[in-house]
Amino acid sequence: MVKFEYKEKHTFEIRNKKAKMLLEKYPGSTPIICQVDPKITNFEKNWFVVPGEMTVGQFMCVLRKRVRMSSTCGLFLFLANGTIPKSAQLLTLVYSQHHDEDGFLYFYVTRENTFGNIFR
């Protein structure tokens, strides 16, 4: 099970207050916290507020642009419970089923060399 640094650094009350504020300010949005694998070194932002009608796959594209990864690497998103959401699922649906009691949806982001590179 992944330990989310955001949860360790902030109390439940602070996290819950921030999530409620974001949901009020941006109705129909999904507040997300990403815990990033240490293998990904150029990831600066760990929280996002995205439109609820965005799919998991579209969110992965947003993350991929931020990370600027090699084309030989695959990006993987895991929910806090260790499952991988379907890329065609709307984030509102994923949020309604898997959000934390503090109001955020938590993802663990990792990368793997999935396509290989024989010319290293």
Side-chain angles (χ1 to χ4, degrees):
M1 187 109 180
V2 174
K3 288 188 178 183
F4 287 88
E5 290 176 15
Y6 190 80
K7 283 185 169 186
E8 293 176 357
K9 289 181 180 178
H10 305 282
T11 65
F12 174 83
E13 291 77 22
I14 291 171
R15 296 187 325 259
N16 187 251
K17 185 177 178 180
K18 185 168 185 168
K20 284 181 180 178
M21 184 268 305
L22 291 171
L23 289 168
E24 286 175 15
K25 188 173 181 178
Y26 305 103
S29 65
T30 304
I32 297 173
I33 300 290
C34 292
Q35 175 70 38
V36 181
D37 188 313
K39 292 185 268 185
I40 302 174
T41 57
N42 56 347
F43 198 88
E44 298 168 5
K45 187 176 175 184
N46 71 335
W47 65 273
F48 300 85
V49 180
V50 299
E53 62 274 1
M54 181 181 273
T55 66
V56 173
Q58 291 169 326
F59 182 59
M60 286 178 64
C61 289
V62 169
L63 293 176
R64 193 170 184 84
K65 286 180 185 176
R66 287 195 176 272
V67 176
R68 296 180 303 274
M69 294 180 359
S70 163
S71 61
T72 62
C73 289
L75 187 70
F76 294 91
L77 285 179
F78 293 90
L79 291 165
N81 65 7
T83 61
I84 299 175
K86 296 176 183 171
S87 61
Q89 269 187 317
L90 292 177
L91 284 170
T92 52
L93 179 62
V94 177
Y95 180 83
S96 69
Q97 295 173 347
H98 298 285
H99 73 279
D100 193 84
E101 58 189 17
D102 66 8
F104 282 100
L105 178 62
Y106 287 87
F107 281 118
Y108 180 71
V109 182
T110 188
R111 69 173 176 85
E112 290 294 328
N113 289 329
T114 55
F115 305 109
N117 188 351
I118 61 172
F119 302 108
R120 286 186 196 202

